[in-house]
Amino acid sequence: MTFAERHLADTPELRKARGAFFTPAELVDYIARWAVRSPADSVFEPSAGDAEFLVAAARRLQSLGVSRPTVHGVEIHDHSAQVGRARVRDVGGEGQILTSDFFAVDPAPVHTAVIGNPPYVRYQDWTGAARVRSREAALRAGVALTGLASSWAAFTIQSTLFLTAGGRMGLVLPAELLSVNYAAPVRRYLFDKFSSVELVLFDEQVFPEAEADVVLLLADGFGHGPAKHATIRQARNAAALLDVLPTLDWAPADPAAKWTGAGLVPVDATEPLARLTREGHFGVLEAWGDTTLGAVTGNNKYFALSPQRVKELGLSRRDLIRLSPPGSSHLRGLALSADALTRLGNKGRETYLFRPAQPLSAAATAYIESGHRAGVDQAYKCRVRKVWHQVPIVPPADLLLTCMNADTPRLTTNLAGAHHLNSVHGVYLSEQLRDLGRELLPLASLNSLTLLNAEIVGRAYGGGILKLEPREADRWAMPSPEFLKDRSARLRSIRDQVARKLQVGRLLDAVAAVDHAMFVEPGILTTAQLDAVRNAHGELTRRRTMRAAKRG
């Protein structure tokens, strides 16, 4: 039977559903060479699939003098397990691959090397008994995973329980390891349990089928931790793994905190923010107020209406509330004024939210009936409401925060008093800081320290987009209220200049003006210090957008 024929019982759709993606050969070989070092090594793959890693391990053992190597693994899909055994046999080895749910297997610490590419299934699809077993398995290792954890997190923890003392683990993992909140206990566990932690980062997208960025985790010395630092290696792409990779040692202040920027941001770029934070000049956005999600309509095309559409439907103002249109492209300046909202409406943007008051007008009743006929009321968010056409809203926010960004997150003062949808976040300033924050925080946030920190606390998504969730926005570095008060006169003097630069898309020129007013002119930071921050920000942005370009 040929290799192609062995795949007839499996399909791309079935593989994707269980998070199985074929790993590029360069990654498989690199990990196998790193992990398998002695003829006496015992190799285990927790999610064997078609045994790509076990085949590479068998070949590696043969190169070390083992005539007929035995390698071990677990695979939930019976046909894949059969294919895997045959592939190992074809290269002269024996593949002892157990067909089972990995989390139903009692771990025995007998292997010197664990290698593989754990399945990547997001939490929305990682449900039922398998999810329960995976979380129980992680708890056996002392790690409590949240309900938001994707499948790879539990696979990583459970895999370590198959290692002997001093063993090694080489895995292909989503880059979520570095950035998402739910991976915090995984990050801490790796540092606590292993004496050496290495990461290989890629400039380009190397796993297009999975539509996710990946890192290589190379953890050595299980049970002999904690690790003093992580070794970061950078590769342009999978083929570059054959080259000598640039290396940097990096020690996180808190291993559980995000590793975004690990090895990519030199100390001279992070020290200015660290110093200003120690001196009380900088804090976080949460010190200014609360950041919250926007309203979820369930169907923006139905609920978000342009003035022209409102006129066509005959709706009155009592049927509507003012709305910042879906998306955030209009929030690239310092403020959203009532006049600006009107201009957006005149251009056809949806500046009204359908939310009729009682008693219903005839026009509102007719529109509700049309929504019912079109099945809008059957959308999940509509179906679970007490009144399907009453979108739950929160009061207009003081500031609107763009949460999906090609360049950098922006704060915009909500002078229009518009409500917002979940395409942006709302920032509700503390009462005592409301006037100062509304006036100057969007302007002051356009500084190089805050821009660099956004790349570190946020996360990169498909298409090179930088996303900030509310909890991440809470930790986003911002000038402190006291610092902003001291710089208020300088900032007011450049407001119009910065606004004009933003209007024509000259973001970095605007940032340079803010930097000069806040840091250079008063002698707080030198231009050389700011250049280090800007270079680091540019490098992180370049990497994020480069991966998007290669994916496209």
Side-chain angles (χ1 to χ4, degrees):
M1 180 184 295
T2 67
F3 181 64
E5 288 171 336
R6 292 167 185 159
H7 280 269
L8 290 177
D10 204 5
T11 66
E13 292 74 20
L14 291 173
R15 292 193 296 272
K16 185 173 183 180
R18 64 179 187 272
F21 297 98
F22 296 121
T23 312
E26 297 93 340
L27 273 64
V28 176
D29 292 341
Y30 184 85
I31 289 177
R33 289 196 307 272
W34 173 86
V36 183
R37 306 173 185 178
S38 161
D41 275 337
S42 176
V43 183
F44 176 79
E45 185 175 2
S47 181
D50 295 340
E52 296 166 88
F53 283 88
L54 294 183
V55 167
R59 286 174 170 158
R60 171 67 170 162
L61 286 167
Q62 288 171 334
S63 74
L64 295 171
V66 182
S67 59
R68 186 170 177 80
T70 299
V71 289
H72 311 265
V74 175
E75 170 54 40
I76 195 170
H77 185 254
D78 181 62
H79 180 74
S80 293
Q82 293 179 45
V83 170
R85 296 185 196 105
R87 290 189 67 199
V88 175
R89 188 167 56 250
D90 289 347
V91 298
E94 180 183 352
Q96 295 187 359
I97 303 174
L98 175 66
T99 302
S100 174
D101 179 346
F102 177 54
F103 298 108
V105 178
D106 289 331
V110 298
H111 302 290
T112 56
V114 170
I115 61 177
N117 178 9
Y120 177 47
V121 183
R122 294 188 183 276
Y123 76 93
Q124 299 96 325
D125 301 314
W126 186 238
T127 58
R131 182 181 188 82
V132 172
R133 286 194 295 270
S134 71
R135 295 181 69 183
E136 290 174 346
L139 278 173
R140 286 197 295 271
V143 177
L145 297 175
T146 74
L148 297 178
S150 298
S151 60
W152 67 266
F155 266 86
T156 301
I157 301 301
Q158 167 93 336
S159 294
T160 65
L161 302 183
F162 290 78
L163 283 172
T164 60
R168 301 172 292 282
M169 183 170 72
L171 300 178
V172 181
L173 295 179
E176 289 182 357
L177 167 69
L178 310 179
S179 62
V180 296
N181 295 326
Y182 75 71
V186 180
R187 293 190 287 264
R188 181 176 296 282
Y189 180 83
L190 293 171
F191 256 76
D192 286 348
K193 294 297 183 181
F194 289 91
S195 61
S196 169
V197 175
E198 296 185 18
L199 298 171
V200 179
L201 312 180
F202 296 95
D203 288 341
E204 299 175 4
Q205 175 79 7
V206 297
F207 229 115
E209 185 183 359
E211 299 178 351
D213 293 329
V214 300
V215 299
L216 304 188
L217 169 69
L218 309 173
D220 200 353
F222 180 68
H224 297 165
K228 294 181 180 179
H229 60 263
T231 298
I232 312 298
R233 305 186 191 279
Q234 281 189 248
R236 181 176 179 83
N237 49 35
L241 291 173
L242 297 174
D243 303 331
V244 177
L245 301 179
T247 300
L248 178 71
D249 288 342
W250 170 77
D254 176 9
K258 289 190 176 187
W259 296 355
T260 314
L264 304 175
V265 183
V267 174
D268 61 348
T270 58
E271 176 54 30
L273 176 59
R275 176 170 67 82
L276 294 187
T277 300
R278 290 193 300 268
E279 295 171 353
H281 298 322
F282 261 66
V284 293
L285 182 58
E286 190 175 27
W288 286 88
D290 296 324
T291 300
T292 68
L293 296 168
V296 179
T297 67
N299 188 323
N300 283 353
K301 289 184 178 179
Y302 176 82
F303 287 101
L305 304 172
S306 68
Q308 179 61 34
R309 182 62 174 151
V310 166
K311 184 176 180 180
E312 293 170 356
L313 296 170
L315 298 171
S316 66
R317 290 300 297 267
R318 66 188 303 272
D319 301 320
L320 309 161
I321 59 175
R322 291 289 268 171
L323 180 69
S324 175
S328 61
S329 60
H330 59 289
L331 299 175
R332 297 290 153 178
L334 299 177
L336 177 66
S337 66
D339 286 345
L341 200 61
T342 298
R343 289 194 295 272
L344 287 168
N346 291 339
K347 293 178 180 178
R349 297 299 302 277
E350 304 88 344
T351 55
Y352 289 103
L353 180 71
F354 178 64
R355 197 172 189 277
Q358 294 290 341
L360 294 174
S361 66
T365 299
Y367 192 51
I368 292 169
E369 284 300 317
S370 72
H372 174 68
R373 290 192 300 272
V376 176
D377 57 340
Q378 295 306 304
Y380 173 74
K381 288 294 183 180
C382 298
R383 193 171 68 245
V384 298
R385 293 178 193 141
K386 186 175 181 180
V387 180
W388 73 265
H389 56 266
Q390 286 291 315
V391 176
I393 58 172
V394 291
D398 295 305
L399 308 175
L400 299 175
L401 168 59
T402 60
C403 54
M404 299 287 282
N405 303 273
D407 48 23
T408 192
R410 310 289 185 94
L411 287 170
T412 303
T413 304
N414 185 16
L415 294 177
H419 292 267
H420 64 286
L421 301 179
N422 64 334
S423 51
V424 297
H425 301 325
V427 180
Y428 296 83
L429 299 169
S430 302
E431 184 61 34
Q432 66 272 25
L433 300 176
R434 189 168 185 266
D435 290 343
L436 179 67
R438 283 172 61 87
E439 180 190 9
L440 293 178
L441 194 57
L443 175 60
S445 67
L446 294 172
N447 69 82
S448 291
L449 277 62
T450 294
L451 263 64
L452 172 58
N453 189 251
E455 295 286 340
I456 294 173
V457 301
R459 65 186 77 169
Y461 272 64
I465 296 298
L466 179 66
K467 185 175 184 180
L468 277 184
E469 297 288 4
R471 287 181 60 186
E472 294 157 350
D474 285 343
R475 298 190 297 275
W476 188 21
M478 286 288 152
S480 67
E482 294 74 19
F483 187 75
L484 204 52
K485 289 174 186 175
D486 291 342
R487 305 294 173 268
S488 59
R490 288 188 176 92
L491 288 170
R492 290 186 184 109
S493 71
I494 64 168
R495 179 200 299 277
D496 291 344
Q497 172 192 352
V498 169
R500 288 192 296 271
K501 293 180 186 298
L502 294 177
Q503 192 172 21
V504 294
R506 293 167 56 188
L507 171 65
L508 296 183
D509 289 344
V511 171
V514 174
D515 283 346
H516 186 82
M518 289 179 62
F519 306 124
V520 178
E521 190 177 0
I524 293 172
L525 295 175
T526 66
T527 53
Q529 289 172 315
L530 285 169
D531 283 344
V533 176
R534 291 166 183 160
N535 290 340
H537 171 256
E539 174 61 16
L540 292 184
T541 303
R542 182 193 67 81
R543 284 175 54 85
R544 171 164 56 82
T545 54
M546 176 185 289
R547 290 193 297 273
K550 292 296 180 181
R551 180 185 290 114

